Amino acid sequence: MSKDFQEQGGAATMDPSALRRWLLSKYVMHLTGERRMHRRRRKAEKRRQSESRPHVVEYFHQLDDAYSYLASQMLTRIVERYDVQLRCHLVPGPSGKNVYDADLLLELACHDSALIAPQYGVTPPVSRQPPADENTAIALSILASLDERELGQHIADVSDALWTDDRARLDAMVATIGQTTESDIEARLSAGEDRRATLKHYSGAMFFYEGEWYWGVDRLHYLEARLAELGLDRFEGDEPLVPCPTVDPGACADSPELTLEFYPSLRSPYTAIVFDETVALAEATGITLDVRPVLPMVMRGVPATLEKGRYIFLDTAREARRRGVPYGRFFDPIGNPIRRCYSLFPWAVELGKGTALLSSFLRHAFVLGINTNTEKGLRRVVEFAGLDWTEAKSRIGTPGWETLLEGNRLALRERGLWGVPSYRLLDTSGEPLLEVWGQDRLWVVAQQIRRYADPGKAQEQP
């Protein structure tokens, strides 16, 4: 394994004590429960009313982030549709342990935003690269010169000029709107960053309403549903501004011979809620599924923080409820349980049970709340996968799996991806048709499979 994979400690520890593992598991279950979510919302609304505050949605805009560009196009529509006030902040990108590779993330955001923009009815970036630094600086100087009310009115237009590479339009905005000094820009970004940190987040393209975070256009439907429940929808009964896409395999049983590379991790909450659905999609469409597991992020050198982990677990619980996927009884499998399971993976693959083993492990760790760090727990995982426990016991700890998983990690990194779950859809010659990251991109995978099932649409992009 890479020498970079060292114990990071803190929130990113890969080998917690038994007590810490138990405490974290209990905390996550307490945090993510549906009843607790509703209690938090009721409490927040009572507090808002008692303080006589209006309904305020806060939005955090990162100018060089393509996801923020997509989100900015929804701002005017939100205040027209819902009886809320919008408060906008300018923020820098995530930093420190909240981001693994900031430059790579910006590039991936451009690529991914171009894929999803048509589905959400917004304009995609014109380039697969972030805007030029000089243009970004001009756009930032324009927006930082505006007060809070004006900022919300101009973010979308300035961002559009930036992301469509329209320098003449930016220069015209400088003449009509104005711009400000470097010190004012730094103060404005610092204020936005401080506000975001106070509310316990770290990223751009984020909406915040009364204790909950909603990421970009992908999670906007959750915010819309919450506002509608509060009676704030001016057009009650109409379709939401941003309906959530569904995973639709369509009539693809006779799909061409495509291969779907699937990169899961055994400690990823997002992997846990989409693993079986990914397998089912491959079965429904007749494509070949190549499951290529990788180590969890904190076991392969990717840092983590408490605020990042908290958001991921809360968001996953929300996504699981929407999908109707069992989830929530959690017993943290980080470290030794995962190593032991992965050491059985090559043997399980030989028996045609590799996918079943990973599915079983995720089910026991994230749905049944089984302690997989005990022999009894791992035995349940193995036998549920249809494997013989006596044989498995003799193979636990067998070397070789490390090389396999490291090869998967390197292959993923070479494609500009590093998070899990990730997907690569390959044609019959092994050329990539699609490369995406995230459980919330399975609908894109299904969409692309449908397109290639129709030879007349083989060259279209989602």
Side-chain angles (χ1 to χ4, degrees), residues 108 260-265 271 274 278 290 292 294 412 416-424 435-439 445:
L108 177 63
L260 179 61
E261 289 185 350
F262 176 37
Y263 294 82
S265 159
T271 294
V274 81
T278 299
D290 182 8
R292 306 188 64 176
V294 297
L412 193 64
L417 304 168
W418 67 95
V420 291
S422 282
Y423 299 96
R424 297 184 72 234
E435 296 175 318
V436 289
W437 168 16
Q439 59 83 26
V445 174

Side-chain angles (χ1 to χ4, degrees), residues 54-57 74-86 223-241:
H55 296 278
V56 176
V57 173
M74 302 304 303
L75 299 181
T76 300
R77 302 183 212 182
I78 291 171
V79 294
E80 289 175 348
R81 174 71 179 266
Y82 298 97
D83 186 16
V84 298
Q85 295 181 15
L86 184 66
L223 175 58
E224 289 194 73
R226 186 176 176 192
L227 297 179
E229 288 176 3
L230 291 169
L232 303 176
D233 189 350
R234 294 190 175 100
F235 301 94
E236 185 178 357
D238 286 3
E239 283 291 309
L241 296 172

Side-chain angles (χ1 to χ4, degrees), residues 311-451:
Y311 174 74
I312 289 174
F313 276 107
L314 282 169
D315 185 55
T316 305
R318 185 168 57 184
E319 287 282 272
R321 286 191 288 269
R322 175 183 64 80
R323 291 172 176 271
V325 175
Y327 174 82
R329 294 185 62 192
F330 172 69
F331 206 104
D332 193 358
I334 193 66
N336 197 50
I338 288 174
R339 295 188 192 97
R340 283 158 57 89
C341 183
Y342 276 151
S343 72
L344 296 175
F345 181 69
W347 165 66
V349 169
E350 290 178 5
L351 298 177
K353 298 286 187 178
T355 298
L357 177 65
L358 301 187
S359 174
S360 177
F361 189 94
L362 291 166
R363 174 179 173 80
H364 282 80
F366 287 91
V367 178
L368 302 178
I370 300 301
N371 184 357
T372 54
N373 199 33
T374 65
E375 183 168 298
K376 180 181 179 181
L378 187 58
R379 177 174 183 170
R380 289 185 59 167
V381 169
V382 167
E383 292 183 342
F384 189 84
L387 293 163
D388 180 71
W389 172 242
T390 301
E391 178 70 11
K393 281 184 65 176
S394 68
R395 294 177 177 273
I396 294 173
T398 301
W401 64 270
E402 302 96 333
T403 302
L404 173 66
L405 267 71
E406 175 69 348
N408 292 342
R409 182 192 73 87
L410 292 174
L412 193 64
R413 189 72 169 81
E414 287 172 3
R415 276 87 184 195
L417 304 168
W418 67 95
V420 291
S422 282
Y423 299 96
R424 297 184 72 234
L425 186 64
L426 311 178
D427 64 16
T428 54
S429 61
E431 291 299 312
L433 307 174
L434 179 70
E435 296 175 318
V436 289
W437 168 16
Q439 59 83 26
D440 48 8
R441 294 296 175 262
L442 190 60
W443 68 266
V444 182
V445 174
Q447 184 184 72
Q448 194 74 328
I449 293 172
R450 293 198 310 272
R451 290 180 183 277

